[in-house]
PDB file of all heavy atoms in Angstrom:
ATOM      1  N   ASP P  97      55.728 111.236 -24.649  1.00 92.00           N
ATOM      2  CA  ASP P  97      55.084 111.250 -25.943  1.00 92.00           C
ATOM      3  C   ASP P  97      53.626 110.826 -26.035  1.00 92.00           C
ATOM      4  O   ASP P  97      52.757 111.508 -26.487  1.00 92.00           O
ATOM      5  CB  ASP P  97      55.713 110.185 -26.983  1.00 92.00           C
ATOM      6  CG  ASP P  97      57.041 110.771 -27.553  1.00 92.00           C
ATOM      7  OD1 ASP P  97      57.116 112.058 -27.520  1.00 92.00           O
ATOM      8  OD2 ASP P  97      57.827 109.973 -27.924  1.00 92.00           O
ATOM      9  N   GLU P  98      53.283 109.844 -25.175  1.00 94.00           N
ATOM     10  CA  GLU P  98      51.899 109.414 -25.183  1.00 94.00           C
ATOM     11  C   GLU P  98      51.047 110.419 -24.338  1.00 94.00           C
ATOM     12  O   GLU P  98      49.930 110.642 -24.564  1.00 94.00           O
ATOM     13  CB  GLU P  98      51.853 108.015 -24.463  1.00 94.00           C
ATOM     14  CG  GLU P  98      52.395 106.938 -25.478  1.00 94.00           C
ATOM     15  CD  GLU P  98      51.958 105.473 -24.957  1.00 94.00           C
ATOM     16  OE1 GLU P  98      51.474 105.303 -23.781  1.00 94.00           O
ATOM     17  OE2 GLU P  98      52.169 104.620 -25.826  1.00 94.00           O
ATOM     18  N   MET P  99      51.682 111.143 -23.265  1.00 95.00           N
ATOM     19  CA  MET P  99      51.035 112.183 -22.435  1.00 95.00           C
ATOM     20  C   MET P  99      50.661 113.313 -23.477  1.00 95.00           C
ATOM     21  O   MET P  99      49.618 113.853 -23.349  1.00 95.00           O
ATOM     22  CB  MET P  99      52.048 112.616 -21.498  1.00 95.00           C
ATOM     23  CG  MET P  99      51.248 113.081 -20.196  1.00 95.00           C
ATOM     24  SD  MET P  99      49.998 112.089 -19.520  1.00 95.00           S
ATOM     25  CE  MET P  99      48.954 113.216 -18.658  1.00 95.00           C
ATOM     26  N   ARG P 100      51.509 113.571 -24.466  1.00 94.00           N
ATOM     27  CA  ARG P 100      51.174 114.515 -25.343  1.00 94.00           C
ATOM     28  C   ARG P 100      50.026 114.167 -26.222  1.00 94.00           C
ATOM     29  O   ARG P 100      49.116 114.951 -26.499  1.00 94.00           O
ATOM     30  CB  ARG P 100      52.330 114.832 -26.315  1.00 94.00           C
ATOM     31  CG  ARG P 100      53.296 115.961 -25.770  1.00 94.00           C
ATOM     32  CD  ARG P 100      54.390 116.405 -26.772  1.00 94.00           C
ATOM     33  NE  ARG P 100      55.371 115.228 -26.928  1.00 94.00           N
ATOM     34  CZ  ARG P 100      56.496 115.223 -26.139  1.00 94.00           C
ATOM     35  NH1 ARG P 100      56.655 116.079 -25.130  1.00 94.00           N
ATOM     36  NH2 ARG P 100      57.380 114.323 -26.288  1.00 94.00           N
ATOM     37  N   ALA P 101      50.000 112.978 -26.614  1.00 94.00           N
ATOM     38  CA  ALA P 101      48.873 112.420 -27.383  1.00 94.00           C
ATOM     39  C   ALA P 101      47.554 112.485 -26.560  1.00 94.00           C
ATOM     40  O   ALA P 101      46.402 112.721 -27.125  1.00 94.00           O
ATOM     41  CB  ALA P 101      49.088 110.997 -27.871  1.00 94.00           C
ATOM     42  N   VAL P 102      47.707 112.269 -25.100  1.00 96.00           N
ATOM     43  CA  VAL P 102      46.578 112.499 -24.340  1.00 96.00           C
ATOM     44  C   VAL P 102      46.059 113.898 -24.447  1.00 96.00           C
ATOM     45  O   VAL P 102      44.666 113.937 -24.584  1.00 96.00           O
ATOM     46  CB  VAL P 102      46.975 112.170 -22.889  1.00 96.00           C
ATOM     47  CG1 VAL P 102      45.822 112.692 -21.891  1.00 96.00           C
ATOM     48  CG2 VAL P 102      47.099 110.776 -22.629  1.00 96.00           C
ATOM     49  N   THR P 103      46.796 114.844 -24.518  1.00 95.00           N
ATOM     50  CA  THR P 103      46.196 116.199 -24.688  1.00 95.00           C
ATOM     51  C   THR P 103      45.467 116.390 -25.884  1.00 95.00           C
ATOM     52  O   THR P 103      44.315 116.854 -26.029  1.00 95.00           O
ATOM     53  CB  THR P 103      47.297 117.169 -24.611  1.00 95.00           C
ATOM     54  OG1 THR P 103      48.082 116.960 -23.451  1.00 95.00           O
ATOM     55  CG2 THR P 103      46.758 118.675 -24.496  1.00 95.00           C
ATOM     56  N   GLU P 104      45.964 115.842 -27.093  1.00 95.00           N
ATOM     57  CA  GLU P 104      45.217 115.895 -28.358  1.00 95.00           C
ATOM     58  C   GLU P 104      43.951 115.126 -28.362  1.00 95.00           C
ATOM     59  O   GLU P 104      43.050 115.586 -28.940  1.00 95.00           O
ATOM     60  CB  GLU P 104      46.180 115.426 -29.390  1.00 95.00           C
ATOM     61  CG  GLU P 104      47.465 116.197 -29.777  1.00 95.00           C
ATOM     62  CD  GLU P 104      48.583 115.590 -30.508  1.00 95.00           C
ATOM     63  OE1 GLU P 104      48.100 114.357 -31.193  1.00 95.00           O
ATOM     64  OE2 GLU P 104      49.620 115.983 -30.499  1.00 95.00           O
ATOM     65  N   LYS P 105      44.032 113.938 -27.667  1.00 96.00           N
ATOM     66  CA  LYS P 105      42.866 113.065 -27.545  1.00 96.00           C
ATOM     67  C   LYS P 105      41.703 113.886 -26.908  1.00 96.00           C
ATOM     68  O   LYS P 105      40.591 113.841 -27.299  1.00 96.00           O
ATOM     69  CB  LYS P 105      43.197 111.832 -26.853  1.00 96.00           C
ATOM     70  CG  LYS P 105      42.383 110.582 -27.167  1.00 96.00           C
ATOM     71  CD  LYS P 105      42.868 109.370 -26.469  1.00 96.00           C
ATOM     72  CE  LYS P 105      42.062 108.234 -26.511  1.00 96.00           C
ATOM     73  NZ  LYS P 105      42.086 107.519 -27.873  1.00 96.00           N
ATOM     74  N   LYS P 106      42.132 114.449 -25.716  1.00 97.00           N
ATOM     75  CA  LYS P 106      41.059 115.284 -25.022  1.00 97.00           C
ATOM     76  C   LYS P 106      40.498 116.300 -25.781  1.00 97.00           C
ATOM     77  O   LYS P 106      39.193 116.508 -25.850  1.00 97.00           O
ATOM     78  CB  LYS P 106      41.702 115.824 -23.671  1.00 97.00           C
ATOM     79  CG  LYS P 106      40.723 116.730 -22.974  1.00 97.00           C
ATOM     80  CD  LYS P 106      41.491 117.602 -21.934  1.00 97.00           C
ATOM     81  CE  LYS P 106      40.601 118.889 -21.479  1.00 97.00           C
ATOM     82  NZ  LYS P 106      39.595 118.510 -20.546  1.00 97.00           N
ATOM     83  N   GLN P 107      41.297 117.091 -26.621  1.00 97.00           N
ATOM     84  CA  GLN P 107      40.809 118.158 -27.369  1.00 97.00           C
ATOM     85  C   GLN P 107      39.804 117.631 -28.488  1.00 97.00           C
ATOM     86  O   GLN P 107      38.668 118.151 -28.705  1.00 97.00           O
ATOM     87  CB  GLN P 107      41.803 118.888 -28.072  1.00 97.00           C
ATOM     88  CG  GLN P 107      42.470 119.873 -27.175  1.00 97.00           C
ATOM     89  CD  GLN P 107      43.778 120.473 -27.714  1.00 97.00           C
ATOM     90  OE1 GLN P 107      44.257 120.007 -28.791  1.00 97.00           O
ATOM     91  NE2 GLN P 107      44.465 121.372 -26.942  1.00 97.00           N
ATOM     92  N   PHE P 108      40.202 116.510 -29.021  1.00 97.00           N
ATOM     93  CA  PHE P 108      39.294 115.736 -30.052  1.00 97.00           C
ATOM     94  C   PHE P 108      38.021 115.350 -29.454  1.00 97.00           C
ATOM     95  O   PHE P 108      36.963 115.794 -29.962  1.00 97.00           O
ATOM     96  CB  PHE P 108      40.036 114.572 -30.619  1.00 97.00           C
ATOM     97  CG  PHE P 108      39.316 113.941 -31.738  1.00 97.00           C
ATOM     98  CD1 PHE P 108      39.748 114.167 -32.901  1.00 97.00           C
ATOM     99  CD2 PHE P 108      38.343 112.938 -31.494  1.00 97.00           C
ATOM    100  CE1 PHE P 108      39.094 113.421 -33.992  1.00 97.00           C
ATOM    101  CE2 PHE P 108      37.758 112.235 -32.516  1.00 97.00           C
ATOM    102  CZ  PHE P 108      38.109 112.676 -33.818  1.00 97.00           C
ATOM    103  N   TYR P 109      38.049 114.712 -28.233  1.00 97.00           N
ATOM    104  CA  TYR P 109      36.735 114.376 -27.789  1.00 97.00           C
ATOM    105  C   TYR P 109      35.880 115.651 -27.268  1.00 97.00           C
ATOM    106  O   TYR P 109      34.768 115.673 -27.522  1.00 97.00           O
ATOM    107  CB  TYR P 109      37.031 113.476 -26.418  1.00 97.00           C
ATOM    108  CG  TYR P 109      37.473 112.034 -26.735  1.00 97.00           C
ATOM    109  CD1 TYR P 109      37.826 111.766 -28.028  1.00 97.00           C
ATOM    110  CD2 TYR P 109      37.384 111.178 -25.722  1.00 97.00           C
ATOM    111  CE1 TYR P 109      38.157 110.340 -28.217  1.00 97.00           C
ATOM    112  CE2 TYR P 109      37.750 109.788 -25.924  1.00 97.00           C
ATOM    113  CZ  TYR P 109      38.136 109.487 -27.086  1.00 97.00           C
ATOM    114  OH  TYR P 109      38.472 108.075 -27.378  1.00 97.00           O
ATOM    115  N   GLU P 110      36.555 116.452 -26.685  1.00 96.00           N
ATOM    116  CA  GLU P 110      35.784 117.569 -26.011  1.00 96.00           C
ATOM    117  C   GLU P 110      35.009 118.525 -27.113  1.00 96.00           C
ATOM    118  O   GLU P 110      34.011 118.846 -26.941  1.00 96.00           O
ATOM    119  CB  GLU P 110      36.634 118.370 -24.986  1.00 96.00           C
ATOM    120  CG  GLU P 110      36.938 117.524 -23.854  1.00 96.00           C
ATOM    121  CD  GLU P 110      36.774 118.306 -22.532  1.00 96.00           C
ATOM    122  OE1 GLU P 110      37.501 119.314 -22.300  1.00 96.00           O
ATOM    123  OE2 GLU P 110      36.061 117.790 -21.693  1.00 96.00           O
ATOM    124  N   SER P 111      35.917 118.738 -28.157  1.00 96.00           N
ATOM    125  CA  SER P 111      35.400 119.516 -29.265  1.00 96.00           C
ATOM    126  C   SER P 111      34.094 118.836 -29.900  1.00 96.00           C
ATOM    127  O   SER P 111      33.396 119.427 -30.739  1.00 96.00           O
ATOM    128  CB  SER P 111      36.365 119.913 -30.255  1.00 96.00           C
ATOM    129  OG  SER P 111      36.854 118.565 -30.834  1.00 96.00           O
ATOM    130  N   ARG P 112      33.995 117.524 -29.702  1.00 95.00           N
ATOM    131  CA  ARG P 112      32.817 116.749 -30.249  1.00 95.00           C
ATOM    132  C   ARG P 112      31.859 116.373 -29.135  1.00 95.00           C
ATOM    133  O   ARG P 112      31.088 115.511 -29.483  1.00 95.00           O
ATOM    134  CB  ARG P 112      33.325 115.518 -31.002  1.00 95.00           C
ATOM    135  CG  ARG P 112      34.087 115.871 -32.353  1.00 95.00           C
ATOM    136  CD  ARG P 112      35.063 114.815 -32.742  1.00 95.00           C
ATOM    137  NE  ARG P 112      35.758 115.154 -34.010  1.00 95.00           N
ATOM    138  CZ  ARG P 112      36.816 115.921 -34.140  1.00 95.00           C
ATOM    139  NH1 ARG P 112      37.312 116.510 -32.854  1.00 95.00           N
ATOM    140  NH2 ARG P 112      37.392 116.319 -35.096  1.00 95.00           N
ATOM    141  N   GLY P 113      31.913 116.977 -28.154  1.00 95.00           N
ATOM    142  CA  GLY P 113      30.947 116.755 -27.112  1.00 95.00           C
ATOM    143  C   GLY P 113      31.135 115.591 -26.189  1.00 95.00           C
ATOM    144  O   GLY P 113      30.102 115.283 -25.434  1.00 95.00           O
ATOM    145  N   VAL P 114      32.270 114.975 -26.180  1.00 97.00           N
ATOM    146  CA  VAL P 114      32.433 113.819 -25.289  1.00 97.00           C
ATOM    147  C   VAL P 114      33.292 114.277 -24.152  1.00 97.00           C
ATOM    148  O   VAL P 114      34.500 114.796 -24.227  1.00 97.00           O
ATOM    149  CB  VAL P 114      33.183 112.606 -25.970  1.00 97.00           C
ATOM    150  CG1 VAL P 114      33.454 111.564 -24.929  1.00 97.00           C
ATOM    151  CG2 VAL P 114      32.395 112.160 -27.230  1.00 97.00           C
ATOM    152  N   PRO P 115      32.801 114.161 -22.912  1.00 97.00           N
ATOM    153  CA  PRO P 115      33.607 114.675 -21.700  1.00 97.00           C
ATOM    154  C   PRO P 115      34.854 113.718 -21.519  1.00 97.00           C
ATOM    155  O   PRO P 115      34.777 112.542 -21.735  1.00 97.00           O
ATOM    156  CB  PRO P 115      32.613 114.423 -20.585  1.00 97.00           C
ATOM    157  CG  PRO P 115      31.209 114.232 -21.065  1.00 97.00           C
ATOM    158  CD  PRO P 115      31.437 113.652 -22.484  1.00 97.00           C
ATOM    159  N   ALA P 116      35.977 114.514 -21.358  1.00 98.00           N
ATOM    160  CA  ALA P 116      37.147 113.790 -21.032  1.00 98.00           C
ATOM    161  C   ALA P 116      38.028 114.656 -20.183  1.00 98.00           C
ATOM    162  O   ALA P 116      38.092 115.882 -20.208  1.00 98.00           O
ATOM    163  CB  ALA P 116      37.969 113.463 -22.315  1.00 98.00           C
ATOM    164  N   GLU P 117      38.800 113.947 -19.263  1.00 98.00           N
ATOM    165  CA  GLU P 117      39.440 114.605 -18.182  1.00 98.00           C
ATOM    166  C   GLU P 117      40.934 114.003 -18.149  1.00 98.00           C
ATOM    167  O   GLU P 117      41.196 112.931 -18.049  1.00 98.00           O
ATOM    168  CB  GLU P 117      38.769 114.320 -16.847  1.00 98.00           C
ATOM    169  CG  GLU P 117      39.431 115.070 -15.698  1.00 98.00           C
ATOM    170  CD  GLU P 117      38.854 114.451 -14.373  1.00 98.00           C
ATOM    171  OE1 GLU P 117      37.665 114.096 -14.465  1.00 98.00           O
ATOM    172  OE2 GLU P 117      39.511 114.361 -13.440  1.00 98.00           O
ATOM    173  N   ILE P 118      41.886 115.069 -18.247  1.00 98.00           N
ATOM    174  CA  ILE P 118      43.318 114.597 -18.206  1.00 98.00           C
ATOM    175  C   ILE P 118      43.636 114.288 -16.734  1.00 98.00           C
ATOM    176  O   ILE P 118      43.326 115.139 -15.821  1.00 98.00           O
ATOM    177  CB  ILE P 118      44.160 115.676 -18.758  1.00 98.00           C
ATOM    178  CG1 ILE P 118      43.822 115.960 -20.180  1.00 98.00           C
ATOM    179  CG2 ILE P 118      45.636 115.302 -18.440  1.00 98.00           C
ATOM    180  CD1 ILE P 118      44.845 116.896 -20.988  1.00 98.00           C
ATOM    181  N   LEU P 119      44.209 113.175 -16.556  1.00 98.00           N
ATOM    182  CA  LEU P 119      44.808 112.837 -15.245  1.00 98.00           C
ATOM    183  C   LEU P 119      46.241 112.928 -15.244  1.00 98.00           C
ATOM    184  O   LEU P 119      46.905 112.367 -16.080  1.00 98.00           O
ATOM    185  CB  LEU P 119      44.362 111.440 -14.831  1.00 98.00           C
ATOM    186  CG  LEU P 119      42.831 111.035 -14.873  1.00 98.00           C
ATOM    187  CD1 LEU P 119      42.579 109.415 -14.744  1.00 98.00           C
ATOM    188  CD2 LEU P 119      42.167 111.846 -13.960  1.00 98.00           C
ATOM    189  N   ASP P 120      46.760 113.744 -14.138  1.00 97.00           N
ATOM    190  CA  ASP P 120      48.261 113.789 -14.105  1.00 97.00           C
ATOM    191  C   ASP P 120      48.730 112.489 -13.214  1.00 97.00           C
ATOM    192  O   ASP P 120      47.859 111.624 -12.885  1.00 97.00           O
ATOM    193  CB  ASP P 120      48.620 115.026 -13.496  1.00 97.00           C
ATOM    194  CG  ASP P 120      48.245 115.170 -11.973  1.00 97.00           C
ATOM    195  OD1 ASP P 120      47.655 114.146 -11.494  1.00 97.00           O
ATOM    196  OD2 ASP P 120      48.224 116.349 -11.512  1.00 97.00           O
ATOM    197  N   ALA P 121      49.999 112.402 -13.007  1.00 97.00           N
ATOM    198  CA  ALA P 121      50.388 111.241 -12.392  1.00 97.00           C
ATOM    199  C   ALA P 121      49.772 110.931 -11.151  1.00 97.00           C
ATOM    200  O   ALA P 121      49.466 109.848 -10.735  1.00 97.00           O
ATOM    201  CB  ALA P 121      52.033 111.257 -12.257  1.00 97.00           C
ATOM    202  N   ARG P 122      49.646 111.892 -10.348  1.00 97.00           N
ATOM    203  CA  ARG P 122      48.971 111.784  -9.040  1.00 97.00           C
ATOM    204  C   ARG P 122      47.493 111.267  -9.187  1.00 97.00           C
ATOM    205  O   ARG P 122      47.001 110.469  -8.431  1.00 97.00           O
ATOM    206  CB  ARG P 122      49.134 113.108  -8.247  1.00 97.00           C
ATOM    207  CG  ARG P 122      49.046 112.779  -6.662  1.00 97.00           C
ATOM    208  CD  ARG P 122      49.339 114.171  -5.952  1.00 97.00           C
ATOM    209  NE  ARG P 122      48.086 115.042  -6.068  1.00 97.00           N
ATOM    210  CZ  ARG P 122      47.350 115.231  -5.073  1.00 97.00           C
ATOM    211  NH1 ARG P 122      47.607 114.734  -3.877  1.00 97.00           N
ATOM    212  NH2 ARG P 122      46.347 115.985  -5.278  1.00 97.00           N
ATOM    213  N   ALA P 123      46.798 112.119  -9.942  1.00 98.00           N
ATOM    214  CA  ALA P 123      45.385 111.770 -10.051  1.00 98.00           C
ATOM    215  C   ALA P 123      45.279 110.339 -10.684  1.00 98.00           C
ATOM    216  O   ALA P 123      44.317 109.574 -10.347  1.00 98.00           O
ATOM    217  CB  ALA P 123      44.681 112.686 -11.046  1.00 98.00           C
ATOM    218  N   LEU P 124      46.069 110.015 -11.476  1.00 98.00           N
ATOM    219  CA  LEU P 124      46.023 108.574 -12.186  1.00 98.00           C
ATOM    220  C   LEU P 124      46.373 107.555 -11.035  1.00 98.00           C
ATOM    221  O   LEU P 124      45.491 106.563 -10.896  1.00 98.00           O
ATOM    222  CB  LEU P 124      47.085 108.348 -13.212  1.00 98.00           C
ATOM    223  CG  LEU P 124      47.085 106.968 -13.826  1.00 98.00           C
ATOM    224  CD1 LEU P 124      45.774 106.765 -14.591  1.00 98.00           C
ATOM    225  CD2 LEU P 124      48.404 106.771 -14.764  1.00 98.00           C
ATOM    226  N   HIS P 125      47.172 107.893 -10.196  1.00 97.00           N
ATOM    227  CA  HIS P 125      47.450 106.900  -9.082  1.00 97.00           C
ATOM    228  C   HIS P 125      46.289 106.733  -8.024  1.00 97.00           C
ATOM    229  O   HIS P 125      46.107 105.764  -7.574  1.00 97.00           O
ATOM    230  CB  HIS P 125      48.749 107.361  -8.392  1.00 97.00           C
ATOM    231  CG  HIS P 125      49.126 106.293  -7.314  1.00 97.00           C
ATOM    232  ND1 HIS P 125      49.676 105.171  -7.480  1.00 97.00           N
ATOM    233  CD2 HIS P 125      48.981 106.441  -5.861  1.00 97.00           C
ATOM    234  CE1 HIS P 125      49.736 104.530  -6.350  1.00 97.00           C
ATOM    235  NE2 HIS P 125      49.431 105.311  -5.357  1.00 97.00           N
TER     236      HIS P 125
END
Side-chain angles (χ1 to χ4, degrees):
Chain P
D97 276 339
E98 291 192 349
M99 204 57 203
R100 272 187 286 277
V102 161
T103 311
E104 288 163 19
K105 201 174 173 81
K106 174 190 156 83
Q107 280 162 2
F108 184 95
Y109 280 17
E110 295 222 299
S111 61
R112 287 160 184 77
V114 176
E117 182 191 328
I118 295 184
L119 303 175
D120 63 13
R122 206 176 69 107
L124 179 66
H125 182 76

